[in-house]
Amino acid sequence: MTQQGVRWTADQVLALAPDAPSRKAGSKLGVAGPWSEAGSSGEGTVWGLCKGSGSKPYQTVVDIADVTGAAAPAYTCSCPSRKFPCKHALGLLLLWAAGEGPFGSEPDAQQPPAWAEEWLAGRRKRAEKKRSSDAAPGSAPADPEAARRRAERRAERVTAGVMELEQRLSDLLRGGIASAEQSGYGLWEETAARMVDAQAPGLAARVRELGAIPSSGPGWPVRMLEECALLHLLDQGWLHREQLPEGLAATVRSRIGLPTPAEGPPLRDHWLVLAQYDTADSKLTTRRIWLHGAESGRTAMLLSYGAAGRAPALALPVGLALDAELTTYPGAGQLRADLGEQFTAPAPTAARPPGMRTEQAAHRYGDVLRDDPWLDSWPVTLSEVIPTPLPGPSSDGWQLADAEGGTALPITPSAVSRAGLWRLVALSGGAPVTVFGECGHEGFTPLAAWPRGSGEAVALC
């Protein structure tokens, strides 16, 4: 469990916020003024009453360690907000992290008030019920023959979709890449819908990306041809999957969009949280969390999902570490994993992963493309690099240059336009820093950084 003396930083707390307005509102409540009857237990639970616009204060409880054993904090608040966590939970955590008000003198463990204890007891009861349910034998074993028939029917539908997509690509190339500009996005949206019908969501996603390329700026025909080639390669990989090595065949199935459970023995390690960031569309918010194993040296990615407008439940802010087990997914070069049993709650750490030079990072990405040609980027940690503008009077780009000179990696255009770049520049101040991020064909996207010497990680996304 979390020890009372272990504090998070304000950045780690604010990383839990579902959106920018919540971060702003929570920061305003991270002072002692609006809070009363606040306290904390030795097990990592904090609580307090926050004065609101009504006659009754809001009852807020945050279980930092989570009594159910989950890695992420758990929250409850009597306010009507539909955001999770709400601004009151963020404010209470900021107050605790700063050691202000009732948390300033490291008080002895306190007993939660009745309203907080009721919520905690309910969570313990539900967790115990779930553990008992998971441990109980199933009412009926799965029918392997029925599962085999379902898999065969889906494979047939996917094959039909792949053949149709191959025909669309052939028609495009026969008519010339320039014809994609006249046909518009509707053609590709229709094709993507056909891939959904074929139960190949991975193909559908790539087709939608293909439809956004025409007229997207200088050089779009080259980008269109590249994406068509990758789609064709994926189609052919599916059609000849029986002839592929098992690892590559598993990667093809994953890229097509077939569900594959995590498998193999779990790996226990002290996992350092390197980065956490969200991507969202109209239906879903996807959270990616990068972890590094201190003993194994392995890098792993956790995926978590939330409905549109809601943050995913799993939250592991940068700079924390936890003792836990991970189970990986099959596939050549696959880094995705499922979080299993956690033996300690997340706690701040000054540890950092070992780094490499920019030239090594580029070679590493090239190596992993042999196992997964559809990989957009690969996680790497760069050591002793300095953020500098790209040379040239008309250039507005940036790069990460080796402190010893000679080589550099350009920073991706999307990262240049975000505020995280300026945090990195300020952290560096012209001196070398260690940077974790994703290295891909468009350049390097910085996600977290450590100053030279000691210091906690700084999130850049």
Side-chain angles (χ1 to χ4, degrees):
M1 305 298 282
T2 297
Q3 298 299 315
Q4 184 61 28
V6 177
R7 302 286 191 189
W8 291 17
T9 66
D11 283 345
Q12 289 165 347
V13 172
L14 292 175
L16 302 173
D19 51 36
S22 296
R23 285 192 289 272
K24 184 176 180 180
S27 297
K28 292 180 179 179
L29 294 175
V31 294
W35 294 95
S36 62
E37 299 184 28
S40 57
S41 72
E43 294 184 337
T45 304
V46 294
W47 58 83
L49 300 176
C50 187
K51 183 179 179 181
S53 56
S55 58
K56 292 184 178 181
Y58 296 124
Q59 298 174 341
T60 307
V61 189
V62 180
D63 183 16
I64 304 156
D66 192 341
V67 295
T68 67
Y75 325 87
T76 187
C77 186
S78 59
C79 75
S81 174
R82 300 180 65 180
K83 294 184 178 181
F84 188 81
C86 68
K87 62 181 181 180
H88 306 102
L90 291 171
L92 181 62
L93 274 179
L94 286 171
L95 188 68
W96 167 79
E100 295 184 2
F103 309 116
S105 56
E106 300 295 351
D108 295 333
Q110 300 168 293
Q111 182 66 28
W115 50 269
E117 180 57 40
E118 181 181 359
W119 176 73
L120 291 168
R123 287 185 59 76
R124 294 188 187 98
K125 185 176 180 180
R126 289 191 295 273
E128 183 59 36
K129 184 178 180 180
K130 184 179 185 301
R131 282 192 291 267
S132 299
S133 175
D134 292 343
S139 56
D143 184 350
E145 181 60 25
R148 184 189 64 80
R149 290 196 297 268
R150 287 194 297 271
E152 287 181 350
R153 287 195 296 269
R154 180 165 188 176
E156 290 173 358
R157 285 193 287 269
V158 171
T159 298
V162 163
M163 296 299 292
E164 181 177 348
L165 179 56
E166 284 289 274
Q167 186 61 51
R168 292 286 177 96
L169 293 176
S170 296
D171 292 343
L172 172 65
L173 296 178
R174 189 178 298 111
I177 292 293
S179 64
E181 201 167 19
Q182 284 89 37
S183 58
Y185 188 76
L187 172 65
W188 298 108
E189 184 59 35
E190 177 193 349
T191 305
R194 298 284 292 169
M195 296 304 104
V196 172
D197 293 340
Q199 294 186 293
L203 282 179
R206 296 193 76 94
V207 168
R208 289 193 179 96
E209 293 175 1
L210 193 68
I213 295 177
S215 304
S216 61
W220 74 261
V222 174
R223 295 194 296 275
M224 189 79 174
L225 187 59
E226 290 173 348
E227 289 302 317
C228 286
L230 286 173
L231 263 176
H232 172 67
L233 184 64
L234 185 54
D235 289 344
Q236 293 301 310
W238 171 261
L239 295 175
H240 300 88
R241 60 191 181 280
E242 303 297 337
Q243 304 169 27
L244 299 178
E246 179 50 38
L248 185 55
T251 299
V252 168
R253 290 192 292 268
S254 174
R255 293 296 182 183
I256 288 286
L258 299 186
T260 306
E263 60 184 27
L267 174 62
R268 181 176 178 179
D269 207 333
H270 287 84
W271 297 99
L272 171 65
V273 183
L274 300 178
Q276 172 182 290
Y277 66 93
D278 296 346
T279 55
D281 56 29
S282 60
K283 297 181 180 179
L284 194 69
T285 298
T286 302
R287 173 166 293 167
R288 290 170 174 82
I289 300 176
W290 285 110
L291 304 175
H292 173 78
E295 285 81 28
S296 66
R298 295 276 297 273
T299 300
M301 179 184 66
L302 305 179
L303 284 180
S304 181
Y305 302 96
R310 291 182 63 87
L314 182 61
L316 293 172
V318 174
L320 300 184
L322 66 156
D323 181 5
E325 291 180 340
L326 297 185
T327 303
T328 58
Y329 283 74
Q334 177 65 260
L335 295 181
R336 185 185 173 190
D338 276 349
L339 182 61
E341 183 177 357
Q342 299 101 56
F343 304 96
T344 62
T349 179
R352 64 180 69 184
M356 63 182 67
R357 299 300 182 187
T358 56
E359 184 177 9
Q360 293 173 299
H363 286 177
R364 178 70 58 86
Y365 177 56
D367 290 341
V368 297
L369 284 177
R370 291 198 299 265
D371 294 328
D372 186 353
W374 308 277
L375 193 67
D376 290 327
S377 60
W378 185 257
V380 295
T381 302
L382 302 177
S383 61
E384 298 290 296
V385 291
I386 304 172
T388 59
L390 284 173
S394 60
S395 174
D396 56 358
W398 283 73
Q399 63 184 355
L400 292 173
D402 277 321
E404 297 179 357
T407 60
L409 283 175
I411 295 178
T412 54
S414 58
V416 169
S417 63
R418 295 198 294 261
L421 172 64
W422 305 113
R423 297 189 73 179
L424 176 60
V425 172
L427 182 70
S428 166
V433 291
T434 298
V435 183
F436 170 78
E438 296 171 349
C439 181
H441 60 277
E442 292 187 348
F444 187 88
T445 300
L447 299 175
W450 296 259
R452 176 179 259 182
S454 61
E456 295 180 341
V458 175
L460 304 175
C461 54

